[in-house]
Amino acid sequence: MNKDGSSNEPKLPAGGWGSIKEVTTILLEQRVPVEGSALLLKQNKPDGFMCVSCAWAKPAHPHPAEFCESGAKATAWEVTSKVVKPEFFAKHTVRELESWDDHDLEDIGRLTVPLRYDAASDRYTEIGWDQAFDEIGAQLRGFDPKQVVFYSSGRASLETSYMYQLLARMYGNNNLPDSSNMCHESTSVALPKSIGVPIGTVTLDDFEKTDCIFFFGQNVGVNSPRMLHQLQEARKRGVEIITFNPLRERGLVSFTNPQSPLEMLTGSETCISTQYHQLKAGGDTAALMGLCKAVIDADDAAMAAHAGRTLDAPFLAGHTHGFEELATSARALDWAEIERESGLTRAAIEGAAQVYMRSHAVIGIFGMGLTQHRNGVQNIQMLVNFLLLRGNIGKPGAGICPVRGHSNVQGQRTVGITEKPELAPLDKLKEQYGFEPPRDKGMNTIEACEGIQAGKVQALISLGGNLVRAVPDHGAMDAGWRALPLTVQISTKLNRSHLVHGKAAYILPCLGRIEIDRQNGVEQAVSMEDSTGCMHGSRGRAEPAADTLLSEPAIVARLAKATLAPNPKVDWDGWVADYSKVRDAIAETYPEIFNHFNERMWTPGGFRKPVAAAQRQWNTPTKKANFTVPDGLAADPDLKEESPDVLRLFTVRSDGQFNTTIYSHEDRFRGVKDRMVLFMAREDMDAQGLSDGDIVQASTVAKDGVERRVDGLRVVEYPVPPGCTAGYYPECNPLLPLWHYAKDSKVPAAKSIAVRLTRSGQAAA
Ligand SMILES: Nc1nc2c(c(=O)[nH]1)N[C@H]1C(S)=C(S)[C@@H](COP(=O)(O)OP(=O)(O)OC[C@H]3O[C@@H](n4cnc5c(=O)[nH]c(N)nc54)[C@H](O)[C@@H]3O)O[C@H]1N2
Ligand SMILES: Nc1nc2c(c(=O)[nH]1)N[C@H]1C(S)=C(S)[C@@H](COP(=O)(O)OP(=O)(O)OC[C@H]3O[C@@H](n4cnc5c(=O)[nH]c(N)nc54)[C@H](O)[C@@H]3O)O[C@H]1N2
Ligand SMILES: [Mo]
């Protein structure tokens, strides 16, 4: 609230005319030709390409235009007619480019030719493909295989990812960190322990059958807007949607479907959340324990009164383990502690529990608000606990729904991108390809960063992504990146990871998924897995940005051929000539999931991989769904915030970005025009003597002796729970210590960083 009682929060619904304007603007800015905009009609269609933005499910019967504002931006960004020629790099030294911001770096357009860093001139210069692979291969052959890291960002197809993991393993390591190590790894650790599968249990069908949705820490209007269609339809059926989020996110408040002419003309909007609980960042375990307590207490009361049970007793008895321990712990909890840690009142939590108790089929949805905490794994196990109380897993209309990030991040895991050897079918790979796969644990993203900082890692190969900018301790890590003997970036656009590079550095430009991928004149298709475990084929539809680009499978194959001793059982060239042969190989490695892959990949709506928990088969050691008792309710058990001026910073995304890709500096939904801001509560501003527009420096409160600061942040008064402040990722990443990660999953705790503010300038005009 402002002093006059108004709020800085904009009131516009997600979607609506603003959405159309944004799409038109980016199509124009990226100089996408008219045929390019028609491409959008092929997006997420069974015969088209799968969007390169988020991983949300693609329906069997898509809307005429099955894309959203975010997806349209991602498409425009990839099929832009802006291209970078080698002359660009002749004009600009790397040192100079380092002063450019993230938006401007990518905005120069698509990379077109392979580049090698030349230290003498501090420039990238063009190099032929053959020479690039020869040189990289020669260097890789000289390194200790255990000290080479094969990172991937979750966009690459199933085909590319499968080839990439094989390359790493044949080379000699399981060093296959990927973006999910910073994202949903907490989910991949929590769910197997609780319900015996690493992925969500719901499908789009469940959205049609549910009568209640609990929504934790996911910003649907920005990060997976196509899900708004399911939410809007559910709301129209009277489904209750109960949201827990420290910010009142527009998409979770209301939505106008830009693809419904009637709604657009009448300006009607659907109210999305029926209850909105602005809990403290990191307050979810506490809120969920409160919810569980309310349900268990109600059941105790019902039993005492010989009334109908609140809990699903037959389900608890037949399908679960550990309920009594959880119940004992919940009964013993003090509401005052729950209120303090969650920032919510008992009445609010009990109000939400009331709806849960009268609902028959409940879906629990979550995103980074749960995973990116010290207690990220526990947060998810708490959501499972809550769902299990009334049998809300493995029945129609109910289940758990992690909303994955990158468009194929879940699929990469399915085809072997993992640093955990026990999760890869190593015996099968051995039999199929006749080599001895390494059995030792590989490095995940945090461990790779630690190895880079310690000067142990010798080479970093990146299949997409922008690690330098995405990881914690941005800045403090720089010396480590620069000391790496070799960095190889397979990329579409220029980013900071190309500028903060190793001693020898190569950029290998690749085709994007929207582009037509021709091998020997024949158009190829690829495939991916969505958030609900469904596999989809994808055909590029746009002419490539340049005829000098190679496809990702071709680049991986050529890296492999240049590095590995020939193996008659791996026909890299044959695979590149015909991607259906890669799919045959995948089907051979994973017959249960991918049998008849080539025939099934065009199934409308995708074909689903088996998800045992959805059938109430529990592949856990107890053969039951497991309740977990939380260690405690505190957001960060190791970091006691001793003084009231310490704020809990959580980093978020805007509608103008895709991760480190900044399309525009404006955040239309939160009403700010630049990204160097901190959203603060009036109470905290008053307590610290700050006014809207003041410029502050944030520094991390940590006892490791390292100074972490971000200067030049503008204070924006905003409805945030007191004690918490929100800032943007990646701008705030210098504040996030590398060691501040989720226990068990090592996902950086980007949603709870203890910071202190000091004033660094005059109030802005
Ligand atoms: N347009 C667009 N789409 C994207 C992306 C993008 O950058 N742009 N990124 C993609 C990727 S890789 C990912 S992982 C997903 C990320 O999608 P989300 O999971 O939505 O990620 P964030 O934007 O980081 O933040 C999530 C929400 O959590 C809330 N939150 C923060 N802390 C807490 C907390 O402690 N508790 C609760 N309950 N809520 C909290 C924030 O207010 C925010 O609304 O989106 C994917 N899709
Ligand atoms: N503080 C904070 N830090 C975070 C997060 C947070 O919420 N807060 N979120 C974390 C999360 S969830 C994630 S997933 C990571 C994201 O980490 P990454 O996945 O590593 O980063 P991106 O920004 O998605 O990568 C963008 C780059 O990918 C390249 N690219 C784009 N398309 C393609 C393609 O088709 N092929 C290839 N080869 N390259 C392509 C382009 O060169 C572009 O510059 O960041 C994490 N970091
Ligand atoms: Mo992510």
Side-chain angles (χ1 to χ4, degrees), residues 106 151 153 155 406 470 490 493 495 552 651 660 729 733:
E106 288 211 23
Y151 173 71
S153 164
R155 195 175 277 201
H406 272 293
I490 304 163
K493 293 273 185 99
N495 65 42
E552 288 178 326
T651 57
T660 69
Y729 146 62
N733 281 37

Side-chain angles (χ1 to χ4, degrees), residues 78 106 151 153-155 179-180 182-183 368 372 406 463-467 470-471 490-495 498 510-513 552 651 653 658-661 729-730 733 736 750-751:
E78 182 167 310
E106 288 211 23
Y151 173 71
S153 164
R155 195 175 277 201
S179 57
S180 79
M182 297 177 272
C183 183
M368 298 298 101
Q372 293 179 330
H406 272 293
L463 178 58
N466 183 8
L467 260 190
V471 300
I490 304 163
S491 311
T492 51
K493 293 273 185 99
L494 190 66
N495 65 42
H498 304 122
C510 63
L511 289 175
R513 183 153 80 232
E552 288 178 326
T651 57
R653 296 160 162 79
F658 189 92
N659 297 340
T660 69
T661 295
Y729 146 62
N733 281 37
L736 177 57
K751 301 288 190 265

